[in-house]
Amino acid sequence: MGWESVRGRGGARERTGERPVWSGGDLSTAVALATAQLPAAGLLTFIDLSGRDDYGAGNGGALGAVFLLFLAPVLLPLLGVAQAFMLALPSVVASRLAGRRLGGPSWPWYLVTPVVPAAFWSALVASLGSWPFTTTFAVLAGLGVLPTLGVGWVRRRALRPAGVWWRAAAGSFGLAVLTLVGGVLASEAGLVPQYEPPRLTAAQLTGVWRDGSGAELRLRADGSAEAVKLPTEPAPFTDDDFSDYVVCAGPGTWAPRRTWRDGVLVKLDGDCGQDTQWSVGGSEDAPQLFVVFGDPDAGTLRILRRATTG
């Protein structure tokens, strides 16, 4: 059953005095409110990232920030449309159908039903191995509540689309300013902890480090190393000049490097690649070794995690 049949049935109900479960005006409202919350959501994401490891890339760098600001007038409405169809539309339809069949006040249904599409899309994202289910679910459910509630509120007051959009724009600006001020105050008060990379001793660095792509780095206490499918800095003036890294294997040596961020320098025997500096990231409980190959702002990030078994 497509959305056309849902709207068609809604039209039949309207002729008998019952309003449709979804309309063009609802779509305009959902897009406006979904778009309005995105600047504040972006600021919250930036504040959250400031307390996490940026892997030496500065969360995208200044060029990335300018690029996003330039694209914002086009990107935000497109994301708002996507949110409306993925989250608000199914939530509103489910709310109205549940209210008609089960009765009771309408607003609890508008508040609860966004968890259904949020759970669906979160399960899909988690199955692809992109983001964990709990994180994705919390974000999508939060993004779905305001547009869903807003559609019900606007319909009861029969506001025109222009009135909805200017109210959404004003609310978006105020919410973004409030988020920015709150984030600055929270950072100054120490409520948003700043990330500090772990400090590992040579003994803590020894062991086996792997990623999910088959790369393995074995660091032994005697300073020897063994690599399997390990990404490595390409040698200059070779056929690999256009690659961020080359994949190497074989024996070599390693030594700890102490700067503001701990790391290890890996030297592999043979002529594959050159010496590669791996930096320490993650946390004390879950340390990582990482390298950003190529441009620090737009390069290739590779992360190795300590293997639980050798």
Side-chain angles (χ1 to χ4, degrees), residues 87-110:
L87 301 174
L89 188 153
S91 299
V92 170
V93 171
S95 299
R96 288 172 177 165
L97 292 177
R100 289 174 182 177
R101 285 166 172 75
L102 302 177
S106 59
W107 69 266
W109 295 114
Y110 287 107

Side-chain angles (χ1 to χ4, degrees), residues 187-292:
S187 297
E188 292 296 325
L191 299 178
V192 180
Q194 297 300 305
Y195 175 76
E196 291 290 340
R199 308 288 292 186
L200 302 183
T201 64
Q204 291 173 313
L205 288 168
T206 59
V208 181
W209 303 80
R210 298 188 179 112
D211 70 0
S213 302
E216 178 180 301
L217 176 61
R218 189 178 296 268
L219 304 178
R220 301 187 180 95
D222 61 1
S224 63
E226 188 76 26
V228 177
K229 296 182 180 179
L230 187 70
T232 307
E233 291 284 357
F237 311 115
T238 66
D239 294 337
D240 300 313
D241 285 346
F242 297 102
S243 299
D244 286 343
Y245 62 89
V246 293
V247 177
C248 300
T253 59
W254 73 279
R257 286 291 181 268
R258 303 298 182 189
T259 60
W260 73 275
R261 185 194 284 265
D262 287 351
V264 296
L265 181 66
V266 177
K267 302 179 180 181
L268 296 181
D269 300 341
D271 57 359
C272 181
Q274 59 181 354
D275 302 350
T276 303
Q277 173 79 30
W278 290 83
S279 299
V280 174
S283 63
E284 295 284 351
D285 297 330
Q288 302 170 351
L289 296 178
F290 74 90
V291 178
V292 179

Side-chain angles (χ1 to χ4, degrees), residues 86-217:
M86 294 171 60
L87 301 174
L89 188 153
S91 299
V92 170
V93 171
S95 299
R96 288 172 177 165
L97 292 177
R100 289 174 182 177
R101 285 166 172 75
L102 302 177
S106 59
W107 69 266
W109 295 114
Y110 287 107
L111 188 62
V112 171
T113 53
V115 303
V116 178
F120 171 79
W121 292 113
S122 299
L124 179 61
V125 171
S127 68
L128 299 176
S130 301
W131 281 25
F133 176 86
T134 52
T135 302
T136 310
F137 175 76
V139 171
L140 293 183
L143 290 175
V145 169
L146 178 60
T148 303
L149 285 170
V151 166
W153 185 85
V154 168
R155 176 182 274 202
R156 288 195 301 271
R157 284 155 181 77
L159 296 177
R160 294 180 179 275
V164 174
W165 277 91
W166 76 256
R167 286 178 172 84
S172 177
F173 178 78
L175 185 61
V177 171
L178 182 64
T179 302
L180 179 61
V181 172
V184 171
L185 293 177
S187 297
E188 292 296 325
L191 299 178
V192 180
Q194 297 300 305
Y195 175 76
E196 291 290 340
R199 308 288 292 186
L200 302 183
T201 64
Q204 291 173 313
L205 288 168
T206 59
V208 181
W209 303 80
R210 298 188 179 112
D211 70 0
S213 302
E216 178 180 301
L217 176 61

